[in-house]
Amino acid sequence: MDATTRAAPTRKASALAGAIRNMTWFSAVLWALMAIVGLLVVYPLLTALIHEFDQVVIGLGELGQGDLAASVPTVLWNTFVVVVGGTVIALVIGSALAWANERSDASLGWIGQLLPLAALIVPPIAGVIGWAVLLDPRAGLMNHFIRNMLAPLGISFDTGPFNIYTMAGLVIITGLYIVPYVYLVVSAALQRLDPAVEEASRVSGANPFKTLYRVTLPAVRPSLVASALLGVISGVSLFSVPAILGGGARIDVLSVFIYRLLSVYPTRIGPALVLAMGMLVLVQVLLVAQHLLIRRGQSAAIGGRGFRGTRVKLGPFRYLVLAMAALYLLATAVLPLLGLLLVSLQPFWTPSINWATLTLDNFKFVLLENKTTVSALINSMWLGFVVASFNMLLTGATTLHFVRNPAARRLADSLTGMPATIPHTVIGVAFILAFSQPPLRIYGTTAILLLAYVVMTLPYAARAASAAADTIGIELGEASRINKASDLVTLWRIMLPLALPGLVAGWIMVFVHTVGEITASAFLSGTNNPVIGRVLLDFWTFGNFPQVASLALIITVISSTFVGLMLLVTRRRHAVTVS
Amino acid sequence: MTVATTRSIISGEAGAQTAPRVQVRNLSKIYRTRRGEHVALDNVSIDIGAGEFVVLLGPSGCGKTTLLRCIAGLEEPDGGEIHINGKLVYSSSAGISVPPEGRALNMVFQSYALWPHMSVVDNVAYPLRNARASTSEARARAAETLELVGLGAFTAAYPGQLSGGQQQRVALARSIVSNDGLVLFDEPLSNLDAKVRDRLRVELLNLQSRIGFSAVYVTHDQMEALALADRVAVMDVGRIAQIGSARDIYDRPTSRYVADFVGSANEIAGRIVSSSEGVAIETPMGRLSGVAGSDRLAEGAKAIAMVRPEHCILASPGSAASGNQVEGVVERSLYLGPVVQHFIMVGEQQLTVSVSGGEGLQPGSRVAIGFAADRTRIFAA
Ligand SMILES: Nc1ncnc2c1ncn2[C@@H]1O[C@H](COP(=O)(O)OP(=O)(O)OP(=O)(O)O)[C@@H](O)[C@H]1O
Ligand SMILES: [Mg+2]
């Protein structure tokens, strides 16, 4: 690079001209790639709407009368109950655990670290299948176990006592997978809140619980509301739980209902598109609300130093909190995995385990014999690898390169963050409709999955890259420039090594999300381009339960191995970081 | 403003003798934020001579860091010119802006800004590597420089394993290793405790006189400024209020702002009664004579007489004195170690008198305060 002068022809160049003058081939490539990704979001939505406009009109009519007019209100009501119920459960569990971990002597230790990762370690699809095999009213392993325990007492049932295929089951399991969102947001808010404000309340004569209600909760209220909205948004797009449980329970929620509209014959494009757009609008409204609240929330944040105040002594309640945390991990990971393991080792799903016939045949079938599962595994892994690499390279290079240019970084951030505002169901619908017609007729190929995954996981990548860049003090880069390093040398020798652990963590996160992805996989994958998510759903529908269980276990092992690696990488930072 | 600055540049001893290392002309910097425009630098001009140590002193937010970063090239100014070693590195009119890596200077950051993933010797060797030195040669020179700052034994350590003072020495070594002739310091010692600060300050001066680099040094600490500086530039919001030797600034401030900001001052309000050969001012304490601090002193105009507490002496009431003398009642005395500070009510106003050594005074006792006319500076109010 030219290190002497950058002369401008005119006296007062406009900001735009200045930006173009400072454009290097490197930043030009970055902008081009981001523009392409941005296009990948906008193009399918617009194409779907424009091409199927007459269908939209028809769809509006069909929703007003006919069979849909009767079923859609029920679907909407179900969705409302599942999402709001799940969010409430998550809010209670998530914020209680966050408070206990940040402010009480019931520090959760490693559980506290794993909690926000629960949904990554055990992909929701695996977890929910695990619960289905545990609490199926007839064949559920746990139900069977409980019945056996109760029989000697003279209490006997043929089914139950629990039934996962109910509204309650749907709500609780949905809630379990929203907990990490709440926990993360509330934890962060509590970390920002200077414990001194709570100590001041204690010194002023309020007991711990009064302090909690009068000081702590009001101070983090914006974050509570924000996390509730986040829960609603993620609950609306959650596909795995209703896809697995909704069928047995005969309860349809929106995301699965839309999928059905497109997978029945004849497909009902209009109503699907109208409902998807409604979902999109709802989420946009919620996001705007969340944005406003978080802004206010940040201005209400007090202090910023990470110091630890005295912790509230919970006494015997400590064990209650610890039990709650343990129970959560049990519910999201241990029990469902146990269920999956037991079913996967049997030739058939039977509630009573015959220890003599345990077999690894299912794993052999899934991993070696069955063409579909083998190619699904290979496809998913390969896609995960490519998607994670592309997204992390793009977002990593962008964030680190534009570190000194806040305006460029904001623009890049809003481009890469855009897909986060679009429910995956909507992405699925738009991709199907837009990419099954010219000029880009790629429906049924691996390419469409690749594009969809790139779009869907881009926000995760961007967030990880931002977090990695933000931990590097600005002065570290400036010191490099002062020491005569060009921009690219600074990027290569200073910023990249320092950001690497964060970038690797981001790569793993994207990889894991891609491998365990369900929604887009359901919409876009088929016999020609199978991926794990789609195959799991199909096998479940066809009743190949032992194979489903072993496949679910396999992706759990893949996920948790990678998450373990991620923890290792992020833990192994330089002994003490400077500035 | 420009006139005053130019004059003080000429009166500065070191700056006038050799060609300036840095020449800053009419530099402006405006931050445009959502809340509107903020003028961080307003037509600032300053010269820094070869081997000269210039300290920028001023209240928080006055633009010291901004000025430093503009010189470094880390911030793009909105107007003016900067020359370094006679080479034009920034000019708004010519559209020239040389990036930091093209400027012959180095910088020590407040946070040290050591790279945690590189060993100490690699941190120091970095500027040499960027100047295309071979790895072994760069390491060897880096090790020599580390020896110079007393860290010869720590070459293989990582920054995270060093104390704050040691880290600051590494940062210092990194800034002088390539011998660019100019080092910028942004409050380099402010994160250290008082003892370490004192020691590093002396080491810094020794290094500077040995190697002979020019230094621009930003600090909040007045004593540090007076101790280090060949010249001190006192900044007001966005501009340089006065620049001169430590003695100039302390004994001969040219504005109330500087008098107030550097050291402490008793201020006595009144009206000018005569402004020929010395100035006389009529105050509630009586007529005081002094010297004009700034130019515009018209007879009859409101004015402020200013005298430093340590330029006052105590006498018993009624004793004959040359210079100004006022009488008052002791409110209270504070023992501060090296000095005793007396607070004395003279009429309605409290004056402070610092006496080195000596005893406390009985509250309520009457004393006279004397201060010489040439220690009394009078400014337009
Ligand atoms: N990036 C920025 N955007 C907007 N305003 C800024 C920015 N950087 C500095 N300012 C403003 O410019 C003014 C001068 O800032 P500067 O950092 O130079 O002050 P300073 O004299 O170094 O203060 P301190 O002694 O506290 O370090 C301040 O009012 C500050 O708010
Ligand atoms: Mg500053």
Side-chain angles (χ1 to χ4, degrees), chain A residues 1-8 10-12 21 295 404 410 474-487 489-490 493-495 497-498 574-579, chain B residues 34 69 72-74 76 78 92-107 109-118 126-127 129-130 159-160 167 174 180:
Chain A
M1 244 189 56
D2 179 19
T4 51
T5 51
R6 272 197 234 120
T10 51
R11 202 181 119 80
K12 196 77 193 170
R21 165 162 57 102
R295 266 248 198 93
R404 285 184 294 112
R410 263 198 304 280
I474 305 173
E475 293 195 337
L476 293 181
E478 287 179 344
S480 169
R481 307 183 65 218
I482 286 286
N483 284 298
K484 318 288 179 289
S486 68
D487 280 358
V489 170
T490 304
R493 293 205 44 203
I494 305 293
M495 306 308 275
L498 288 173
H574 306 278
V576 186
T577 35
V578 182
S579 80
Chain B
R34 228 172 289 158
R69 291 170 60 85
L74 292 171
E76 180 130 342
D78 291 290
S92 57
S93 54
I96 289 175
S97 177
V98 178
E101 60 265 28
R103 302 187 182 192
L105 52 81
N106 215 297
M107 185 161 174
F109 293 82
Q110 184 173 9
S111 64
Y112 320 137
L114 300 179
W115 302 299
H117 62 299
M118 295 184 187
Y126 188 83
R129 298 285 305 280
N130 286 325
Q167 289 184 24
R174 186 176 67 188
D180 289 318

Side-chain angles (χ1 to χ4, degrees), chain A residues 52-86:
Chain A
E52 312 292 348
F53 189 73
D54 43 344
Q55 292 287 339
V56 171
V57 177
I58 296 170
L60 280 173
E62 282 186 45
L63 287 173
Q65 51 200 299
D67 59 329
L68 290 180
S71 53
V72 165
T74 322
V75 168
L76 292 180
W77 171 247
N78 290 340
T79 311
F80 178 82
V81 173
V82 168
V83 168
V84 172

Side-chain angles (χ1 to χ4, degrees), chain A residues 563-579:
Chain A
V563 172
L565 278 178
M566 173 172 88
L567 288 176
L568 218 65
V569 168
T570 44
R571 198 70 61 72
R572 243 196 51 209
R573 303 205 62 130
H574 306 278
V576 186
T577 35
V578 182
S579 80

Side-chain angles (χ1 to χ4, degrees), chain A residues 22-213:
Chain A
N22 289 337
M23 185 84 90
T24 59
W25 62 267
F26 190 63
S27 48
V29 169
L30 290 180
W31 283 121
L33 283 175
M34 274 187 293
I36 291 173
V37 173
L39 215 60
L40 270 180
V41 180
V42 180
Y43 172 81
L45 280 174
L46 286 184
T47 315
L49 272 180
I50 293 167
H51 266 267
E52 312 292 348
F53 189 73
D54 43 344
Q55 292 287 339
V56 171
V57 177
I58 296 170
L60 280 173
E62 282 186 45
L63 287 173
Q65 51 200 299
D67 59 329
L68 290 180
S71 53
V72 165
T74 322
V75 168
L76 292 180
W77 171 247
N78 290 340
T79 311
F80 178 82
V81 173
V82 168
V83 168
V84 172
T87 302
V88 169
I89 291 175
L91 212 52
V92 172
I93 300 179
S95 52
L97 289 178
W99 179 83
N101 192 35
E102 293 297 327
R103 286 295 197 269
S104 79
D105 58 348
S107 178
L108 303 182
W110 59 273
I111 300 185
Q113 293 228 314
L114 287 187
L115 229 161
L117 301 172
L120 277 183
I121 297 170
V122 182
I125 183 72
V128 64
I129 292 175
W131 273 111
V133 300
L134 286 175
L135 292 184
D136 182 282
R138 283 174 198 287
L141 302 182
M142 202 168 174
N143 273 333
H144 181 78
F145 180 76
I146 295 172
R147 287 201 297 268
N148 278 353
M149 298 297 286
L150 294 179
L153 305 176
I155 312 169
S156 66
F157 329 83
D158 290 339
T159 64
F162 296 110
N163 183 359
I164 192 80
Y165 302 118
T166 54
M167 187 52 115
L170 214 51
V171 168
I172 292 173
I173 303 292
T174 302
L176 282 187
Y177 289 100
I178 304 180
V179 167
Y181 295 102
V182 178
Y183 181 84
L184 268 184
V185 173
V186 177
S187 280
L190 285 172
Q191 280 162 12
R192 278 203 310 272
L193 182 71
D194 191 338
V197 303
E198 287 151 310
E199 285 167 1
S201 154
R202 298 293 301 281
V203 176
S204 315
N207 67 30
F209 290 97
K210 196 160 187 183
T211 301
L212 179 61
Y213 280 103

